Amino acid sequence: MDPKQLLSAVRVTKLMSALQDKRGTDAKLVNLARTPIVPAADGEIMARFIGQVIIADLIADGQRAGLYSPGKISTDVTKIPNLKLGTALNQDQLNMFTSALNGVQVNDDLFPTTEARIVDNLRRGVQYRMEAIVSASKIGGFSYDRLGIKMENVDFGMPADLKITPTKEWTDPTATPVTDVSIAKRVGQIKYGIEYDRMKIDLSAFNAAVATTEFQNKARLFMAPNVSFINLDVSNQEAMKNLAQNVFGMTIEITGQRYWTENPNGSLSSAPFQPTNKVILESSQSDNDASVIDFANGVVTEALISNVPGSPIQGQLPLNARGPVGYQTAEHNAPSISYWGVGRGFARRHVMQATACLTIAPDSGTGSLTETIDFNEIPFA
């Protein structure tokens, strides 16, 4: 490794890009993998036509035809927030860095290996936030309050009648999850002309749904005469999912992917990308269709700053760099080297009826879908 190139924003950016090309999107980032990431700019105007096709009248020759309203144009202005996190080298890592600068080989290239892991974690951290935002766009609700940034009830333009709260929690044995989903599918099909064919549901919510009397009664049609829920192995998740797909008439994906957040006091806590009390209905035909839901990916401001003389960013980034982007900064007081991962973007719903969302219990942590596992306990040293 050339010591002159060790502190280089371009080199770190290339390393992050190489890791991105090699590893792609994390397998657990299901929503992001199905959402096109498109270039966008602050202040970009997104126009949307709102109206219905009106059937033609029958008129006689010479008769004047009816003149109807064409609908209206709704415009949204894209306001793109930054997605950013950093990590500082601890003393051991800084010593490795110093040795590398001096041309000393450290533990068979241990520093480059450590650096690659740091950069990859930053890349994934930005992608995790992108996944959380895309997931929120499908739920039709996003709130955020951290480090001075506050967003409340961002609904992405999702119609209110596609945000459904069933009369009974699905944890109630007398709840009617099959009917609830059927009603949501019918609203999508009849009112909005979209066929929801996939359900994304947390495992705890899924277990609650299949335990209801309604589900078990309807499931009898798809079970052998000599099999009942008394002797059925309900712990066989794959078998139960296959049964449920027949009952609900749609593909079912069991969610449960989570991310970690470091709190101001240094402790770590975990949360699901899709809340446990939310069930998302969507159309598989919308996957990777930028005209339905996309992620507006803007040019990171750090690219401009890196080209200003005296910038703390080491080296220069391309002026049109879009996230995730990696770079380094150096601080002389107290001496430290920090690595950063940054993106600039937000999810956009172009087709307002793209998904429906059922809130099948109170918010996780206050309702009956609370997890029995303490996710605040870190399962590693």
Side-chain angles (χ1 to χ4, degrees):
M1 181 183 297
D2 183 352
K4 294 180 180 179
Q5 298 299 320
L6 194 56
L7 271 177
S8 167
V10 174
R11 186 183 60 77
V12 175
T13 297
K14 287 181 177 179
L15 174 57
M16 181 172 284
S17 297
L19 291 167
Q20 172 71 14
D21 293 340
K22 178 180 178 181
R23 302 178 184 179
T25 302
D26 194 311
K28 74 178 184 178
L29 306 183
V30 179
N31 291 305
L32 185 60
R34 293 173 176 157
T35 304
I37 299 174
V38 301
D42 275 316
E44 177 178 311
I45 297 178
M46 182 177 72
R48 184 167 55 249
F49 177 78
I50 300 175
Q52 296 294 338
V53 176
I54 306 299
I55 192 169
D57 296 320
L58 299 177
I59 61 172
D61 289 346
Q63 182 181 354
R64 293 176 65 87
L67 193 63
Y68 302 101
S69 170
K72 62 180 180 179
I73 297 293
S74 173
T75 59
D76 293 331
V77 177
T78 301
K79 189 67 175 177
I80 303 178
N82 298 296
L83 322 174
K84 188 173 183 178
L85 76 162
T87 185
L89 294 182
N90 59 35
Q91 187 168 354
D92 288 340
Q93 294 166 332
L94 194 56
N95 288 337
M96 280 192 286
F97 177 87
T98 303
S99 298
L101 278 178
N102 293 329
V104 177
Q105 186 175 10
V106 181
N107 295 340
D108 296 325
D109 292 329
L110 179 59
F111 176 76
T113 302
T114 302
E115 182 186 47
R117 179 174 296 179
I118 291 172
V119 173
D120 192 38
N121 285 346
L122 294 173
R123 174 189 69 89
R124 293 166 63 188
V126 174
Q127 284 189 335
Y128 281 17
R129 179 56 67 188
M130 294 167 68
E131 168 75 9
I133 293 173
V134 173
S135 180
S137 75
K138 294 187 175 185
I139 292 169
F142 179 71
S143 295
Y144 183 90
D145 188 357
R146 185 176 170 85
L147 300 178
I149 300 298
K150 192 175 184 66
M151 299 181 183
E152 291 185 349
N153 303 319
V154 180
D155 64 8
F156 298 90
M158 184 175 180
D161 56 2
L162 292 178
K163 299 179 184 179
I164 300 167
T165 301
T167 304
K168 293 184 178 180
E169 287 186 40
W170 285 12
T171 49
D172 186 334
T174 64
T176 56
V178 182
T179 300
D180 296 335
V181 170
S182 178
I183 291 173
K185 289 173 63 178
R186 185 172 178 81
V187 171
Q189 185 176 22
I190 302 301
K191 183 174 182 179
Y192 295 107
I194 187 168
E195 184 74 34
Y196 299 129
D197 60 4
R198 183 167 61 217
M199 177 195 302
K200 292 171 60 64
I201 183 172
D202 181 80
L203 180 58
S204 59
F206 175 79
N207 290 337
V210 300
T212 61
T213 301
E214 183 204 40
F215 176 87
Q216 296 186 4
N217 287 341
K218 293 183 181 298
R220 288 291 317 147
L221 297 173
F222 304 97
M223 296 165 60
N226 62 334
V227 177
S228 69
F229 276 87
I230 295 176
N231 54 19
L232 186 67
D233 182 10
V234 295
S235 64
N236 187 330
Q237 180 178 315
E238 193 62 29
M240 291 303 298
K241 187 177 77 168
N242 291 335
L243 178 61
Q245 288 179 152
N246 287 323
V247 175
F248 284 101
M250 59 198 316
T251 301
I252 293 177
E253 286 188 354
I254 306 295
T255 64
Q257 297 86 352
R258 304 178 73 90
Y259 62 88
W260 292 93
T261 298
E262 183 171 323
N263 302 310
N265 63 1
S267 65
L268 298 181
S269 59
S270 175
F273 288 109
Q274 178 177 323
T276 58
N277 67 329
K278 304 289 186 182
V279 176
I280 297 174
L281 306 184
E282 59 187 5
S283 171
S284 60
Q285 295 183 8
S286 299
D287 292 351
N288 294 304
D289 187 342
S291 68
V292 179
I293 294 178
D294 69 10
F295 189 90
N297 197 28
V299 174
V300 298
T301 310
E302 287 77 1
L304 173 63
I305 298 301
S306 72
N307 285 270
V308 174
S311 167
I313 296 176
Q314 305 301 308
Q316 293 181 327
L317 294 166
L319 284 172
N320 62 345
R322 299 179 188 273
V325 171
Y327 64 93
Q328 294 164 313
T329 58
E331 172 61 46
H332 68 89
N333 184 29
S336 65
I337 297 170
S338 298
Y339 287 78
W340 300 90
V342 63
R344 185 173 174 80
F346 210 65
R348 303 181 295 190
R349 278 178 82 115
H350 299 278
V351 176
M352 298 299 98
Q353 67 270 26
T355 62
C357 180
L358 290 82
T359 303
I360 52 92
D363 290 340
S364 178
T366 60
S368 51
L369 277 180
T370 52
E371 300 289 349
T372 57
I373 299 174
D374 184 1
F375 283 102
N376 289 323
E377 291 294 329
I378 309 302
F380 46 82

